[in-house]
């Protein structure tokens, strides 16, 4: 018996010691466990993500490694080094990031994308039973993850909120000065991660490729990993992207337990795709310009003249205060070219705030929507730009992503992600367009509710949309409903004289209390959301002045029908028999609930999403005679 145990112990030791140290200078023919967007290119690059949005990729060493000696609780020392490069869609905008991760499972497909980095999801975030240890290289400043900035390295323990984080960079051995590194520069960088099982020091060091490891680590906390790391864990990488994408590449990787990770042979790493690296671009421009220097000198005078002419044509405004928003600014020339000079042909529509054009950014070929918002007064522009840029950091799969802005004479240009399927009202109210089936409508409703809930609750600051309606709901390529124009209504507040408050919004969606108080709250958004629900279910606009009086206001008409026992007859006739009765019932009644005349009686967006997801049943409602207090009431539990 003893011999047998010894024999097995020997086999186990041999089996493990054969695989707890590995070196990959490139990943050609390497057996990794890949999922999501991850793949190995023909050059041998490990590509974790590609040009897909809201997605993730994982690459894990295929067998588990042993991190604890038998019977001992303390975690063994381990050490790893790897070279990575991140190439973003836009030069200055990241998307999420990647991590080096230790996980009890090699399958992380249940984790979520975007700021959750493909290691954790909303339900298990922060749960000690995750046993997730990750070092994140994060290129997006996410409020949910409480990120410190959009270019940092962090250590995450079971939680997407980093336990330790610091701006990316390294301390130079020469002069002891800290030098910043831009993770998404597209330039390859090397990372060393070392854990000393005795001193429990966890060190993360970063350096540009070919620079030796600095003596001072970027992060070096002492962490007792014994309750976090299990006996056997998988090691590997995860990467995720959001509304914007980035390519996340790993060029080489080595790993060792109870010893130092073997050095990588940097000269045998696979090359990055040439046309993607900014490095190459810079070099090319340099080579091109060098022989032209003389020529350029001669042309300087002519050049100056040209600039004046160009300035006139691309009359862009640029004030000192905008320096802090530099990374969110688009050159006017670029937007002018993208929309072919704002040609009518590229006009997508005319909204309350101005004209919207479709464009294709000249360099990246990315499709965008450019909104031209006229803004005569200079006053308030600064606050507005600050606000729109800060709102642009909000990211949610049901919000239209803001990409940047540009200021020109008398107008602001706002650049958004392009939504190929246009706005929802076209589908609902147009006779010519094919109508939407019920399942799509319900999906869109749930999406918009989730986006609005995020605006209300998802950030440290409550964001009120102020103009919820079908025409402000856009449809992406997968027909998901996305809220647009959030925060835009503020423009009019900032622009207006200080002592008047303009109520911006759309008739039919304006909550009754706004007539009295002008105080915009989340409940006024909920009121408008109620009208929106009815629009989607009934296929009618919230206000139809051409109809006879009793039918003009959608909410009143649906309510009257309910009192008469004809609630379901208000549904969009174009749906025919295609609907789910319980869902239709929920949407119509919830629409009325949200439209309650008393703001305090309306549900919160949080409750609304719970009702829509079926987590909580809608309280039973009884229509009753309309009088001063309200148009309907809920049955009390006591009655
Ligand atoms: C990204 O990778 C996935 C999985 O390898 C593939 O299905 C998809 O087509 C790729 N997308 C792009 C835009 O390259
Ligand atoms: C890759 O590794 C896994 C786990 O060790 C193994 O099951 C699989 O057969 C390997 N695949 C190849 C192609 O070697
Ligand atoms: C979150 O992740 C855990 C662990 O991987 C998984 O069990 C759970 O189903 C996931 N939850 C969701 C909502 O995907
Ligand atoms: C943590 O996860 C475990 C296993 O998935 C689960 O049983 C437990 O309820 C979770 N704890 C919390 C606080 O969510
Ligand atoms: C890491 O941070 C989470 C909260 O963000 C905390 O619950 C946990 O105790 C921390 N773990 C360590 C080892 O510091
Ligand atoms: C490095 O980045 C920080 C912000 O992350 C900034 O405050 C600092 O000025 C930068 N330093 C240099 C030398 O660029
Ligand atoms: C780990 O820490 C111990 C105690 O501080 C030290 O003696 C040892 O040399 C360290 N090991 C390594 C590999 O640095
Ligand atoms: C580390 O944590 C484990 C359990 O969480 C504990 O038993 C052990 O004493 C700790 N080690 C040190 C050195 O504090
Ligand atoms: C590193 O790689 C280069 C190119 O593949 C090769 O010539 C060289 O011998 C390698 N060096 C070592 C130490 O393996
Ligand atoms: C880079 O080159 C490859 C092949 O040469 C091509 O398929 C790809 O579209 C190019 N990418 C860009 C962004 O130009």
């Amino acid at each position: 018996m003893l011999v047998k145990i010894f024999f097995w112990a020997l086999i186990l030791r041999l089996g493990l010691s054969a695989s707890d140290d590995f070196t990959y200078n490139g990943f050609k023919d390497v057996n990794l466990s890949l999922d999501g967007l991850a793949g190995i290119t023909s050059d041998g690059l490990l590509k974790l993500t590609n040009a897909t949005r809201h997605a993730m990729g994982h690459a894990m060493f295929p067998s588990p490694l042993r991190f604890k000696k038998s019977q001992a609780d303390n975690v063994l020392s381990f050490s790893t080094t790897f070279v990575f490069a991140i190439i973003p869609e836009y030069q200055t905008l990241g998307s999420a990031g990647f991590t080096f991760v230790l996980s009890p499972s090699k399958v992380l497909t249940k984790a979520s994308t975007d700021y959750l980095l493909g290691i954790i999801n909303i339900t298990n975030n922060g749960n000690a039973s995750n046993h997730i240890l990750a070092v994140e290289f994060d290129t997006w400043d996410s409020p949910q993850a409480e990120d410190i900035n959009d270019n940092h390295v962090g250590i995450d323990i079971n939680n997407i909120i980093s336990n330790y984080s610091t701006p990316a960079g390294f301390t130079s051995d020469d002069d002891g000065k800290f030098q910043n590194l831009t993770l998404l520069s597209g330039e390859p960088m090397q990372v060393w991660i070392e854990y000393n099982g005795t001193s429990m020091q966890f060190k993360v060091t970063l350096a540009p490729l070919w620079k030796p490891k600095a003596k001072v680590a970027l992060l070096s906390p002492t962490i007792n990993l014994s309750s976090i790391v299990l006996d056997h864990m998988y090691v590997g990488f995860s990467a995720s992207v959001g509304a914007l994408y980035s390519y996340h590449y790993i060029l080489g990787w080595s790993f060792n337990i109870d010893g130092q990770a073997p050095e990588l042979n940097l000269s045998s790493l696979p090359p990055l795709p040439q046309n993607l690296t900014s490095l190459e671009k810079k070099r090319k421009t340099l080579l091109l310009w060098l022989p032209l220097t003389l020529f350029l000198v001669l042309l300087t005078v002519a050049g100056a003249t040209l600039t004046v002419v160009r300035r006139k044509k691309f009359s862009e405004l640029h004030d000192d205060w905008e320096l802090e928003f530099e990374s969110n600014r688009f050159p006017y020339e670029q937007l002018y070219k993208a929309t072919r000079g704002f040609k009518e042909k590229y006009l997508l529509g005319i909204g309350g705030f101005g004209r919207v054009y479709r464009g294709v950014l000249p360099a990246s070929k990315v499709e965008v929507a450019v909104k031209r918002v006229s803004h005569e007064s200079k006053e308030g522009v600064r606050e507005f730009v600050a606000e729109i840029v800060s709102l642009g950091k909000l990211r949610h799969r049901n919000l239209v992503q803001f990409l940047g802005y540009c200021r020109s004479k008398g107008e602001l240009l706002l650049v958004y992600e392009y939504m190929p399927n246009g706005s929802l009202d076209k589908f609902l109210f147009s006779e010519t367009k094919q109508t939407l089936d019920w399942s799509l409508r319900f999906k869109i409703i749930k999406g918009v509710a989730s986006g609005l809930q995020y605006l209300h609750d998802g950030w440290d600051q409550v964001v009120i949309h102020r103009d919820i309606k079908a025409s402000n709901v856009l449809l992406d390529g997968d027909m998901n409903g996305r809220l647009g124009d959030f925060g835009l209504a503020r423009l009019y507040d900032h622009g207006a004289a200080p002592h008047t408050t303009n109520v911006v919004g759309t008739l039919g969606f304006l909550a009754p209390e706004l007539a009295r108080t002008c105080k915009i709250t989340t409940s006024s958004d909920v009121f408008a959301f109620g009208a929106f629900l009815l629009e989607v279910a009934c296929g009618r606009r919230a206000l139809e002045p051409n109809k006879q009086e009793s039918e003009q206001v959608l909410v009143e008409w649906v309510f009257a029908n309910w009192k008469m026992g004809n609630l379901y007859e208000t549904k969009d006739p174009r749906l025919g028999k295609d609907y789910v009765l319980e869902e239709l019932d929920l949407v119509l009644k919830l629409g009325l609930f949200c439209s309650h005349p008393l703001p305090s009686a309306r549900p919160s967006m949080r409750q609304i999403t719970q009702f829509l997801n079926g987590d909580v049943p809608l309280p039973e409602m009884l229509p009753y005679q309309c009088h001063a207090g309200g148009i309907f009431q809920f049955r009390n539990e006591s009655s």
Side-chain angles (χ1 to χ4, degrees):
M1 185 64 185
L2 215 66
V3 175
K4 212 168 170 185
I5 290 174
F6 180 74
F7 177 73
W8 276 111
L10 197 72
I11 292 200
L12 267 173
R13 272 198 77 83
L14 284 177
L16 284 164
S17 61
S19 61
D20 59 12
D21 151 9
F22 52 81
T23 309
Y24 303 133
N25 291 303
F27 294 88
K28 233 176 218 170
D29 304 321
V30 170
N31 182 8
L32 292 178
S33 165
L34 303 173
D35 65 53
L37 303 182
I40 293 170
T41 68
S42 53
D43 284 342
L45 279 171
L46 172 55
K47 176 151 107 177
L48 296 169
T49 56
N50 60 17
T52 311
R53 298 169 204 280
H54 297 298
M56 58 186 173
H58 299 106
M60 307 295 286
F61 188 72
S63 41
L65 303 176
R66 183 161 198 174
F67 281 84
K68 289 181 181 175
K69 276 213 179 88
S70 52
Q71 268 133 44
D73 198 33
N74 64 312
V75 175
L76 294 169
S77 296
F78 60 87
S79 157
T80 187
T81 181
F82 55 87
V83 174
F84 74 89
I86 304 177
I87 297 168
E89 179 179 6
Y90 301 99
Q91 238 169 25
T92 53
L93 284 174
S95 55
F98 82 96
T99 75
F100 170 76
V101 62
L102 264 63
S103 155
S105 162
K106 69 172 158 181
V107 184
L108 283 164
T109 47
K110 287 268 174 60
S112 301
T113 65
D114 295 55
Y115 73 96
L116 292 159
L117 298 176
I119 51 171
I120 269 170
N121 61 35
I122 281 286
T123 38
N124 71 0
N125 192 21
N127 191 326
S129 66
N130 291 343
H131 297 288
I132 293 276
L133 171 67
V135 178
E136 64 168 45
F137 299 81
D138 195 324
T139 57
W140 188 269
D141 185 359
S142 156
Q144 299 100 319
E146 298 179 13
D147 284 336
I148 52 165
N149 65 13
D150 60 0
N151 183 48
H152 62 271
V153 179
I155 302 174
D156 303 347
I157 300 168
N158 296 326
N159 200 318
I160 202 64
I161 300 172
S162 302
N163 288 69
Y164 308 92
S165 71
T166 188
F170 65 98
T171 306
S172 163
D173 281 346
D174 306 333
D175 55 9
K177 285 213 178 102
F178 185 78
Q179 295 186 13
N180 289 336
L181 284 175
T182 305
L183 296 174
L184 49 74
S185 62
E187 326 251 342
M189 294 175 205
Q190 188 166 5
V191 176
W192 294 264
I193 297 170
E194 297 146 298
Y195 183 67
N196 181 331
T198 315
S199 67
M200 299 195 294
Q201 193 173 47
F202 193 103
K203 289 204 288 186
V204 181
T205 317
L206 182 64
L209 192 63
W210 294 109
K211 279 240 177 195
K213 186 177 91 180
K215 289 201 185 76
V216 180
L218 183 59
L219 284 166
S220 52
T222 303
I223 313 175
N224 183 351
L225 289 181
S226 59
S227 60
I228 298 149
V229 171
L230 302 176
D231 291 12
H232 288 89
M233 299 282 274
Y234 288 89
V235 295
F237 300 93
S238 85
S240 91
V241 295
L244 307 176
Y245 62 78
S246 294
Y247 295 89
H248 292 94
Y249 291 107
I250 307 292
L251 291 76
W253 176 29
S254 75
F255 186 90
N256 195 5
I257 287 189
D258 225 0
Q260 205 180 350
E263 282 192 19
L264 297 174
N265 183 348
L266 300 183
S267 41
S268 63
L269 298 181
L272 285 170
Q274 296 264 316
N275 53 359
L276 287 175
T277 61
S278 52
L279 193 75
E280 285 301 318
K281 264 188 227 146
K282 266 187 226 151
R283 274 199 201 127
K284 267 191 202 137
T285 351
L286 226 106
L287 280 176
L288 193 79
W289 285 104
L290 230 51
L292 286 180
T293 314
L294 193 71
F295 186 55
L296 266 182
V297 170
L298 289 174
L299 275 183
T300 309
V301 183
T305 325
L306 258 174
T307 315
V308 172
V309 174
R310 279 171 93 86
R311 272 269 166 78
K312 269 226 161 112
K313 184 169 175 198
F314 304 122
S315 60
E316 182 175 334
L317 296 183
H318 214 156
D319 286 336
D320 287 345
W321 57 262
E322 288 182 84
L323 282 175
E324 64 177 300
F325 308 119
E326 207 51 49
S327 63
N328 299 93
R329 251 191 93 105
F330 280 92
Y332 186 82
E333 185 175 350
Q334 208 179 346
L335 300 182
Y336 187 89
K337 282 186 180 148
T339 55
R340 305 285 151 85
F342 300 102
K343 268 216 181 94
E344 284 301 300
K345 202 175 129 197
Y346 291 83
L347 186 66
L348 286 171
I350 303 176
F353 295 101
R355 294 167 162 252
V356 188
Y357 294 84
R358 188 172 74 85
V360 178
L361 294 178
S364 54
K365 304 278 175 267
V366 170
E367 278 191 299
V368 292
V370 182
K371 195 173 292 237
R372 295 180 89 167
V373 181
S374 71
H375 195 280
E376 298 305 336
S377 87
K378 243 182 114 153
E379 230 171 290
V381 172
R382 180 177 181 163
E383 288 81 356
F384 179 68
V385 167
E387 182 157 324
I388 204 99
V389 166
S390 121
L391 286 178
K393 294 206 170 124
L394 290 177
R395 295 201 320 155
H396 188 277
R397 64 175 76 235
N398 297 106
L399 298 179
V400 177
Q401 186 67 42
F402 171 75
L403 301 175
Y405 80 102
C406 173
R407 237 153 48 83
S408 166
K409 203 158 173 270
E411 65 180 3
L412 265 171
L413 303 175
L414 304 175
V415 185
Y416 291 91
E417 208 183 336
Y418 174 66
M419 293 288 119
N421 285 314
S423 61
L424 175 60
D425 60 331
K426 305 249 161 55
F427 287 91
L428 289 178
F429 311 131
S430 146
E431 300 295 323
T432 51
K433 221 163 181 151
Q434 190 196 346
T435 189
L436 298 172
D437 66 22
W438 177 256
S439 64
L440 262 181
R441 291 187 201 210
F442 198 57
K443 171 174 123 171
I444 291 166
I445 286 174
K446 289 211 276 194
V448 172
S450 143
L452 188 55
Q453 191 205 336
Y454 176 73
L455 287 182
H456 286 184
D457 304 334
W459 210 28
D460 47 3
Q461 169 188 344
V462 174
V463 179
I464 299 174
H465 186 289
R466 295 159 175 248
D467 205 7
I468 308 282
K469 54 182 172 179
S471 54
N472 269 344
V473 170
L474 297 158
L475 300 171
D476 67 16
D478 299 325
M479 295 298 276
N480 290 304
R482 306 256 213 126
L483 269 173
D485 275 1
F486 50 98
L488 221 54
R490 294 284 291 170
L491 176 64
Y492 284 80
D493 276 9
H494 287 311
H499 298 296
T500 62
T501 320
N502 279 351
V503 172
V504 178
T506 305
L507 280 178
F509 295 87
L510 287 178
E513 71 271 16
L514 293 179
R516 297 193 310 272
T517 64
C518 286
K519 193 154 175 280
I520 289 163
T521 62
T522 49
S523 317
S524 39
D525 263 0
V526 168
F527 183 91
F529 181 76
F532 162 77
L533 286 180
L534 299 182
E535 282 194 314
V536 177
C538 307
R540 280 186 44 174
R541 291 181 193 277
L543 194 66
E544 299 201 341
N546 296 336
K547 285 214 154 64
Q548 66 187 76
E549 207 180 316
S550 64
E551 296 190 8
Q552 279 179 359
V553 180
L554 181 58
V555 176
E556 286 174 9
W557 178 68
V558 174
F559 181 69
N561 271 284
W562 186 26
K563 276 203 299 191
M564 291 185 295
N566 299 335
L567 182 61
Y568 306 137
E569 278 165 35
T570 59
K571 77 167 168 54
D572 187 350
R574 294 203 293 172
L575 282 168
K577 288 203 164 58
D578 161 46
Y579 60 92
V580 180
L581 187 64
E582 294 75 35
E583 290 173 357
L584 178 70
D585 181 76
L586 172 66
V587 170
L588 289 169
K589 287 185 182 159
L590 187 55
L592 292 174
F593 188 3
C594 295
S595 307
H596 199 290
L598 288 176
S600 58
R602 292 172 207 149
S604 68
M605 282 316 298
R606 188 182 169 77
Q607 289 171 309
I608 292 171
T609 45
Q610 287 172 336
F611 295 143
L612 286 171
N613 291 331
D615 299 338
V616 174
L618 193 67
E620 198 178 332
M621 305 195 302
L622 294 174
Y624 91 118
Q625 222 38 46
C626 177
H627 62 74
I631 52 172
F632 54 86
Q633 196 180 38
F634 293 90
R635 178 186 283 169
N636 258 330
E637 257 161 273
S638 53
S639 69

